[in-house]
């Protein structure tokens, strides 16, 4: 979802070419690069850590101006023996950042935060934890589930701006698990020089990804929440929290 939200934000500032769906292996990354044309201002590419020793190739092919690492999660544990092995794989993307580029890292995840020392370029951190913000994270955020039929609300702040944080933004998403994705997209857009007003316009038009806490309304008035895209524990726990807070018959 970070990739989709960021692409929509950047589309308000220029032409964007972005990864289709979840086509994020080495071959798909190469194809994505070949789709870029001279009139594109931005190219947003998703890269997956799907097997040990595989991420270095798409990372080196990309040599990104900006790289985002959100977290080290159990969704990759089918192919990796431990979270530390997942982090060791994902850091390849951070190492591939150009010296003039920037890595955007989630400071709330200790394994992601330690990747900062592997980046040849600048590093910008985002965090929800007050402790991590106090330790130097440039971007602070807060997200909350408004309870169905309400939608996920999001607030972010760039500490380099003199103005205080603005009001909460109402999105089209449901559940409370989207804060990291929206915060990363916000941070990336700010590093690229976009104004907050432009960022929020893009966030407001972003829609839930297919089968990831996706509301589907039927003609008889019943709404299903589809969430079968992933089968690891973290999304299941988020769906359970959503159902607990829902105000519905």
């Amino acid at each position: 979802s970070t990739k989709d939200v960021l692409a929509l934000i950047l589309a308000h500032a220029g032409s964007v070419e972005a990864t289709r769906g979840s086509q994020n292996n080495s071959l798909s990354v190469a194809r994505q690069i070949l789709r870029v044309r001279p009139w594109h201002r931005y190219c947003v590419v998703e890269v997956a850590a799907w097997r040990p020793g595989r991420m270095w190739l798409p990372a080196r092919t990309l040599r990104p101006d900006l790289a985002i690492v959100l977290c080290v999660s159990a969704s990759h544990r089918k192919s990796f023996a431990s979270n530390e092995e997942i982090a060791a794989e994902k850091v390849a993307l951070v190492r591939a950042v150009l010296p003039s580029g920037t890595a955007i890292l989630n400071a709330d995840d200790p394994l992601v935060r330690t990747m900062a020392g592997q980046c040849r370029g600048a590093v910008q951190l985002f965090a929800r934890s007050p402790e991590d913000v106090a330790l130097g994270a440039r971007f602070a955020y807060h997200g909350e589930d408004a309870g169905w039929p309400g939608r996920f609300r999001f607030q972010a702040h760039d500490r380099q701006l003199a103005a205080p944080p603005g009001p909460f933004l109402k999105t089209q998403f449901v559940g409370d698990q989207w804060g990291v994705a929206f915060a990363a997209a916000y941070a990336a857009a700010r590093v690229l020089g976009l104004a907050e007003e432009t960022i929020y316009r893009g966030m407001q038009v972003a829609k839930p990804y297919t089968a990831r806490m996706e509301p589907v309304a039927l003609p008889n008035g019943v709404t299903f929440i589809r969430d079968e895209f992933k089968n690891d524990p973290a999304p299941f726990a988020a769906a359970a929290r959503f159902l607990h807070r829902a105000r519905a018959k």
Side-chain angles (χ1 to χ4, degrees), residues 9-217:
I9 292 171
L10 297 178
H12 286 76
S15 181
V16 179
E17 176 60 38
T19 296
R20 275 86 160 161
S22 293
Q23 300 176 16
N24 51 24
N25 60 25
S26 299
L27 182 58
S28 297
V29 169
R31 287 173 174 167
Q32 184 62 39
I33 293 172
L34 292 173
R35 292 190 185 104
V36 178
R37 296 295 180 265
W39 55 82
H40 288 126
R41 186 173 181 183
Y42 305 103
C43 179
V44 183
V45 183
E46 182 176 287
V47 184
W50 59 289
R51 284 184 184 176
R54 299 298 181 91
M55 202 167 193
W56 69 269
L57 180 57
R60 195 165 72 173
T61 302
L62 274 174
R63 291 178 296 135
D65 297 293
L66 189 150
I68 300 170
V69 182
L70 300 182
C71 62
V72 174
S73 71
S75 61
H76 299 99
R77 288 297 292 273
K78 292 180 182 178
S79 301
F80 296 87
S82 66
N83 286 346
E84 286 72 19
E85 284 193 9
I86 299 170
E89 183 70 11
K90 286 192 170 188
V91 78
L93 186 62
V94 176
R95 291 189 186 120
V97 172
L98 295 173
S100 58
T102 303
I104 295 177
L105 306 177
N106 178 10
D108 291 324
D109 187 317
L111 290 174
V112 174
R113 187 171 58 234
T114 59
M115 297 179 189
Q118 301 289 321
C119 184
R120 296 180 297 164
V123 174
Q124 298 291 351
L125 305 176
F126 67 91
R128 180 172 184 171
S129 163
E131 292 80 8
D132 288 316
V133 172
L135 289 174
R138 171 178 168 182
F139 303 101
Y141 77 94
H142 184 71
E144 62 183 28
D145 176 11
W148 179 264
R151 295 296 192 268
F152 172 73
R153 302 195 308 162
F154 176 77
Q155 181 190 58
H157 180 54
D158 182 351
R159 299 176 70 202
Q160 291 188 0
L161 296 176
F168 276 87
L169 173 77
K170 181 181 177 181
T171 74
Q172 298 187 48
F173 288 65
V174 298
D176 63 1
Q177 72 271 42
W178 306 110
V180 172
F182 273 76
Y186 171 90
R190 285 294 302 148
V191 168
L192 291 170
L194 275 67
E196 284 194 319
E197 294 80 5
T198 303
I199 295 171
Y200 292 145
R201 283 201 301 272
M203 288 181 172
Q204 285 181 314
V205 300
K207 296 181 179 180
Y209 192 75
T210 302
R212 294 186 67 180
M213 294 298 288
E214 175 198 15
V216 179

